[in-house]
Amino acid sequence: MSDSNPAATPTVVEDGCGDGRWMSVHKRLVSDAQEKEPEVVFIGDSLIAHLSYIEMWDTHFAPMHAINFGIGSERIENVLWRVLNGEMDQMNPKNLCSREIAIFAGCGATCWYK
């Protein structure tokens, strides 16, 4: 039985440019997750990705040991795929309850789905 909502099916971003850029960024984020022990995780689309470039990130989020897993041009199904394929795997389940996870994706999804 197929799901009629495409956002509910984890999906890799189509490599339209043929350079593997999205998968390369995903692998870097998986590596970051292995090297760091974040207390706050932000995961989502370009709005999350751009947080790390503003002063608020340095003053409010970096001191909380936050990590930014934002990738531009993503849709909900892409973020879901990343969560299920490594970016959250290195989070210690014992300590996961003491962590904060902010997910933001899909604000532009209405133009993708009909």
Side-chain angles (χ1 to χ4, degrees), residues 26-67:
H26 166 68
K27 289 178 180 177
R28 181 184 53 80
L29 296 176
V30 171
S31 178
D32 285 352
Q34 293 171 346
E35 296 171 6
K36 301 173 182 174
E37 291 188 24
E39 294 177 24
V40 180
V41 177
F42 288 87
I43 187 165
D45 57 20
S46 60
L47 295 175
I48 292 294
H50 291 164
L51 275 178
S52 62
Y53 300 114
I54 61 176
E55 185 178 337
M56 182 181 7
W57 181 267
D58 293 330
T59 57
H60 297 289
F61 299 123
M64 295 190 300
H65 305 282
I67 194 165

